[in-house]
């Protein structure tokens, strides 16, 4: 008997998942997509299987704006295990070296100011960055080590929350592209004892905080009780991740031409930059960019939501 193809739903919005331990970001996305029965889905940057916390999942029209969440600042809490280094710079790797830990709270407090502000990081081999089309982690698993160019990242917040024995809990606020594993590893080297990430929890992604998230168990429970449509109440609007952008409202006439690809003027537009755009019914219809002549050029459009 031929298998009946599943007809997926055309739903749009963002679900803020508290990613569970042991899931890849893509595995978590595909699980929620199945529960929602969504036609189109994407996430906003990978979290390691070891990591938990804020993972915005985009569905339908919201996938058009996932890149802007990917580019946003992030917040983390991490547990730094001192005294050892590992192949992956986290608890999942093999131990490379063990050293005595003779440092305490005062030593950590003295070192961490060096890592605030703009710093340079060498991306880890166990990362999704690609070299000649191959992810670095695949090369690492094959025993290869290739040279990686250091990149500039910004650490806006780095605070010691707790310190007990050989473990320390840190709070980090950072720019996109920051590797917490590399940060912890570098702090460990500065302390002279080595360190790796024992725990990692993302507490913020752009405008989204941990308190706004829903767990996979809650989504599964809602699905068991009410099916696919029961998950719709967890969907946030597609422009939820752009709330700090200037908002421009177009008249019915202007919105018509804007949605057909033409730049238009609006009395409330800023002088320059990217903007969120609504029509005369206060419906989000896309994002635009204000040009030098004051007109708003469409960049990504939503025709219906």
């Amino acid at each position: 008997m031929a298998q009946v193809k599943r007809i997926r739903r055309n739903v749009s919005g963002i679900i803020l998942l508290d990613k569970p331990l042991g899931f890849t970001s893509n595995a978590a996305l595909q699980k929620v997509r199945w529960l929602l029965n969504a036609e189109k889905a994407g996430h906003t940057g990978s979290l390691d299987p070891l990591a938990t916390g804020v993972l915005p999942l985009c569905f339908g029209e919201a996938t058009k704006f996932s890149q802007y969440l990917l580019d946003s600042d992030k917040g983390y809490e991490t547990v730094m295990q001192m005294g050892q280094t590992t192949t992956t710079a986290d608890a999942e790797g093999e131990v490379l070296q063990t050293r005595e830990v003779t440092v305490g709270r005062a030593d950590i407090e003295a070192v961490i100011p060096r890592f605030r502000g703009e710093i340079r990081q060498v991306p880890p081999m166990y990362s999704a960055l690609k070299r000649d089309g191959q992810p670095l982690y695949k090369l690492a698993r094959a025993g290869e080590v290739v040279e990686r160019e250091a990149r500039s990242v910004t650490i806006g917040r780095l605070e010691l929350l707790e310190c007990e024995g050989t473990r320390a809990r840190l709070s980090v606020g950072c720019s996109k592209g920051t590797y917490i594993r590399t940060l912890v590893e570098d702090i460990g080297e500065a302390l002279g004892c080595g360190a790796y990430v024992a725990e990692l929890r993302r507490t913020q992604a752009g405008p989204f905080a941990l308190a706004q998230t829903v767990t996979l168990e809650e989504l599964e429970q809602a699905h068991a009780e009410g099916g696919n449509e029961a998950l719709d109440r967890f969907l946030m609007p597609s422009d939820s991740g752009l709330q700090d952008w200037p908002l421009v409202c177009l008249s019915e006439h202007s919105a018509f031409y804007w949605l057909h690809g033409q730049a238009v003027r609006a009395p409330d537009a800023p002088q320059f930059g990217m903007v969120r755009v609504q029509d005369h019914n206060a419906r989000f219809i896309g994002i635009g960019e204000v040009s030098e002549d004051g007109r708003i050029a469409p960049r990504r459009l939503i025709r219906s939501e």
Side-chain angles (χ1 to χ4, degrees):
M1 181 182 294
Q3 187 174 3
V4 178
K5 186 177 180 180
R6 190 181 193 193
I7 300 176
R8 295 190 179 272
R9 298 193 302 144
N10 182 20
V11 293
S12 294
I14 297 172
I15 287 181
L16 293 182
L17 181 70
D18 184 350
K19 188 189 82 67
L21 184 70
F23 276 70
T24 65
S25 292
N26 188 59
L29 171 68
Q30 295 308 324
K31 177 65 175 178
V32 176
R33 181 189 181 192
W34 184 87
L35 292 171
L36 192 62
N37 194 29
E39 184 176 12
K40 189 176 182 181
H43 61 72
T44 57
S46 296
L47 278 175
D48 295 335
L50 175 77
T52 64
V54 183
L55 181 65
L57 304 178
C58 298
F59 299 93
E61 293 293 293
T63 59
K64 295 178 178 179
F65 313 103
S66 59
Q67 180 62 42
Y68 302 100
L69 280 170
L70 180 63
D71 291 343
S72 64
D73 291 348
K74 308 295 191 299
Y76 298 91
E77 280 193 14
T78 184
V79 173
M80 176 174 69
Q81 174 64 59
M82 297 176 285
Q84 290 183 327
T85 57
T86 72
T87 53
T88 58
D90 64 20
E92 295 189 326
E94 297 177 7
V95 175
L96 289 173
Q97 189 178 29
T98 300
R99 286 181 261 180
E100 185 181 3
V101 180
T102 59
V103 300
R105 173 179 285 273
D107 302 289
I108 299 171
E109 294 277 18
V111 161
I112 58 177
R114 303 184 206 172
F115 297 92
R116 296 189 184 119
E118 187 173 326
I119 64 172
R120 303 278 289 174
Q121 279 193 338
V122 176
M125 275 300 300
Y126 281 87
S127 67
L129 292 177
K130 292 186 177 181
R131 173 67 61 88
D132 299 327
Q134 283 290 318
L136 290 182
Y137 66 81
K138 287 191 175 181
L139 299 177
R141 288 171 183 165
E144 296 184 46
V145 177
V146 297
E147 188 173 346
R148 288 97 65 205
E149 186 176 345
R151 305 189 304 178
S152 291
V153 297
T154 300
I155 309 297
R157 182 185 72 256
L158 179 57
E159 299 172 359
L160 176 61
L161 301 178
E162 300 173 8
C163 182
E164 185 174 349
T166 60
R167 287 197 166 201
R169 183 178 296 274
L170 303 171
S171 174
V172 184
C174 56
S175 63
K176 70 167 186 175
T178 301
Y179 286 95
I180 304 300
R181 286 178 290 142
T182 300
L183 176 64
V184 165
E185 194 173 48
D186 290 346
I187 292 173
E189 288 306 308
L191 291 168
C193 60
Y196 66 81
V197 168
E199 298 176 19
L200 182 61
R201 187 154 176 75
R202 185 190 280 169
T203 56
Q204 186 174 358
F208 301 129
L210 196 57
Q212 299 171 270
T213 60
V214 60
T215 65
L216 187 57
E217 289 77 11
E218 289 174 304
L219 295 175
E220 289 174 327
Q221 181 65 28
H223 182 268
E225 293 174 354
N228 308 129
E229 294 181 0
L231 272 69
D232 290 356
R233 71 177 187 268
F234 297 106
L235 285 166
M236 303 175 69
S238 294
D239 63 336
S240 298
L242 310 175
Q243 291 301 306
D244 56 342
W245 288 30
L247 176 64
V248 172
C249 298
L250 299 181
S251 67
E252 184 175 6
H253 178 80
S254 294
F256 174 83
Y257 286 102
W258 194 79
L259 285 170
H260 285 81
Q262 297 186 34
V264 299
R265 296 186 184 276
D268 56 347
Q271 292 184 335
F272 59 88
M274 301 294 291
V275 294
R276 286 186 298 136
V277 180
Q278 291 182 349
D279 65 11
H280 62 292
N281 292 318
R283 182 176 63 91
F284 176 56
I285 56 174
I287 60 174
E289 185 172 8
V290 182
S291 59
E292 292 182 0
D293 63 2
R295 296 191 302 166
I296 305 168
R299 291 292 178 254
R300 300 290 285 177
L301 301 177
I302 288 182
R303 299 191 181 277
S304 62
E305 193 176 53

